[in-house]
Amino acid sequence: LLWGIEGIGKDALAFEFAKTVNCYSPIIQGDAVYACDECKSCKQASNFSHPNIQYIFSLPAGKGSDKSESAVNKLSDEQIDEIKEQLSLKSENIYHKVALPNATQIRIASIRDIKKNLSLTANTKGRRFVVISSADEMTGEAANAFLKTLEEPHENITIILSSSKKEALLQTILSRCQQIHCDPIPDEILTDTLVQRYSLNLADAKVVATFAQGSFTKAIEYMEGNVQELRAEVIEMFRCSLKKNTYRIELLEYIDKFTSSNDKNLYESIIKLLLFWMRDVYTYSMTRNDDAIINIDQKDRIAKFIELFPHADIPKAIRDLEITASKIRRNVNPKLSLINLFILIRANFLGISS
């Protein structure tokens, strides 16, 4: 079982291991072994067509009630085409998260496919692998059926589960797995990757990497969602809230805009961006160290901010932000939560009540 937060490459690790074990000409460097990425086996593994590697993930329910029927055979031609498209995207970027409409569960039909596959004699030399992505999405019926498979060891076969919600797996399954924790990706590595692979400038890459909190998948989502533009709007909303006069209408327009979509992820992103900004203000006011700043491209603005509000209680502002985030997670009205937040911020920074 490979477990850890979402988007750090648990499936990528599983596939690289399976590919390396089956590689015809593995590269050995000291104690490390790498797949050659050139042989037929490696190419099959890279495009998800290797006969020795079975990949299981959540599928739509499909039609038909024949229990002997394969999970894929129950799907429509359109659903199968969508699966092919998702696997093509994952072959281009192993960190791509396979996402299919109405696919939130690994059902018992998929587990039966595993059992059937393992009962057959391998047609290709090498070691066989079963990779079950987001194994916590197995239904209760599927998990119990899978437990029986784990209790029947098969020669020359490795089963790898991945999960970002280990606690959702049956304890009886956990007890039969070697559990390997996968750490979040360090910000420095994420930043370098975003700069080198996606040509982001260093300042933007640093913001995205910190925002992603160790998840490469989240970093890509934030990058494609243009977190830089959102940050600019959030900072403007924050600046607007601190105007001494005629701030109310403009501030409410910002809040209305952000809450009109009823998107919890957006609210969370807004709070995070404000938290990063406040922490930069506090860190820079205490250390004057550029290296400690997340929003490095905003250094001059942060320094000016510190000059304008020398008596602001930044730790209190950070606590108010964290409390607001907690309220929104508990489904407290987001518009009222944000209005209350900025009332508290004004009282803190300007020394007035409204």
Side-chain angles (χ1 to χ4, degrees):
L1 170 67
L2 303 178
W3 67 279
I5 66 170
E6 187 174 345
I8 54 177
K10 299 181 293 294
D11 286 1
L13 176 59
F15 273 100
E16 193 64 27
F17 178 44
K19 181 169 69 173
T20 302
V21 170
N22 281 285
C23 177
Y24 296 158
S25 305
I27 300 168
I28 301 174
Q29 295 180 350
D31 293 334
V33 183
Y34 302 90
C36 73
D37 284 325
E38 298 293 335
C39 68
K40 178 183 177 181
S41 176
C42 284
K43 290 178 179 179
Q44 286 179 319
S46 295
N47 63 25
F48 297 93
S49 63
H50 200 295
N52 280 353
I53 305 174
Q54 186 177 9
Y55 186 31
I56 302 295
F57 47 86
S58 288
L59 296 173
K63 296 181 180 180
S65 57
D66 184 354
K67 292 187 176 181
S68 64
E69 194 171 11
S70 168
V72 175
N73 289 342
K74 296 182 178 183
L75 303 179
S76 67
D77 291 342
E78 291 78 8
Q79 289 171 323
I80 291 174
D81 287 342
E82 180 64 28
I83 290 173
K84 290 178 179 177
E85 173 64 20
Q86 288 294 310
L87 291 178
S88 175
L89 291 171
K90 196 166 183 68
S91 69
E92 295 170 7
N93 175 12
I94 193 64
Y95 284 87
H96 172 75
K97 180 176 175 60
V98 173
L100 299 165
N102 303 313
T104 58
Q105 293 181 321
I106 298 174
R107 296 175 172 82
I108 193 168
S110 293
I111 304 305
R112 290 196 183 103
D113 286 346
I114 294 174
K115 297 182 74 171
K116 181 179 179 180
N117 182 56
L118 296 185
S119 68
L120 300 175
T121 303
N123 294 322
T124 305
K125 69 175 183 178
R127 187 171 186 86
R128 287 198 282 172
F129 285 81
V130 178
V131 178
I132 305 180
S133 180
S134 298
D136 49 88
E137 294 181 355
M138 283 190 282
T139 64
E141 186 182 25
N144 284 311
F146 178 67
L147 180 60
K148 294 178 181 178
T149 299
L150 283 183
E151 292 172 337
E152 301 168 357
H154 295 269
E155 187 179 355
N156 203 35
I157 291 171
T158 297
I159 299 174
I160 303 178
L161 293 74
S162 71
S163 176
S164 57
K165 300 173 183 175
K166 185 181 76 163
E167 67 282 358
L169 285 163
L170 292 179
Q171 187 60 41
T172 43
I173 289 179
L174 292 176
S175 66
R176 286 163 174 78
C177 292
Q178 179 183 356
Q179 299 179 35
I180 301 174
H181 179 247
C182 299
D183 292 327
I185 303 170
D187 285 358
E188 297 79 10
I189 293 177
L190 270 180
T191 300
D192 289 345
T193 302
L194 293 172
V195 170
Q196 294 169 15
R197 189 179 298 182
Y198 296 95
S199 301
L200 281 189
N201 63 60
L202 181 60
D204 287 345
K206 192 172 182 179
V207 171
V208 171
T210 306
F211 209 61
Q213 296 184 309
S215 168
F216 184 76
T217 301
K218 284 188 177 180
I220 300 305
E221 289 175 356
Y222 292 137
M223 185 181 68
E224 293 176 346
N226 211 335
V227 70
Q228 296 90 340
E229 286 185 11
L230 178 60
R231 180 186 61 164
E233 282 196 279
V234 168
I235 291 174
E236 278 304 304
M237 176 172 64
F238 179 50
R239 185 188 65 80
C240 167
S241 73
L242 297 178
K243 289 181 179 179
K244 291 187 177 179
N245 300 300
T246 64
Y247 72 93
R248 291 180 177 84
I249 293 176
E250 188 178 353
L251 177 60
L252 284 173
E253 286 176 349
Y254 273 116
I255 293 175
D256 282 339
K257 176 183 176 181
F258 287 134
T259 56
S260 62
S261 63
N262 197 28
D263 183 350
K264 267 193 172 183
N265 290 329
L266 177 61
Y267 310 148
E268 182 181 351
S269 296
I270 290 168
I271 300 297
K272 277 186 179 180
L273 285 166
L274 286 169
L275 275 170
F276 292 156
W277 175 267
M278 288 290 187
R279 286 168 180 165
D280 279 352
V281 168
Y282 183 72
T283 301
Y284 194 67
S285 68
M286 299 297 290
T287 66
R288 301 290 169 171
N289 181 2
D290 296 2
D291 295 336
I293 296 178
I294 296 168
N295 297 278
I296 188 63
D297 58 326
Q298 299 284 315
K299 186 191 75 170
D300 292 342
R301 203 167 183 179
I302 289 168
K304 178 76 171 178
F305 186 87
I306 293 169
E307 290 178 12
L308 289 172
F309 304 100
H311 303 299
D313 187 343
I314 306 299
K316 181 184 183 303
I318 291 173
R319 289 195 299 274
D320 289 338
L321 281 162
E322 290 173 339
I323 290 170
T324 301
S326 177
K327 286 181 178 178
I328 291 174
R329 282 194 293 270
R330 298 198 310 270
N331 296 318
V332 176
N333 185 292
K335 183 174 180 178
L336 293 179
S337 297
L338 289 174
I339 290 172
N340 182 64
L341 170 66
F342 285 111
I343 289 174
L344 293 173
I345 286 175
R346 282 184 64 81
N348 183 346
F349 282 72
L350 300 180
I352 56 178
S353 60
S354 62

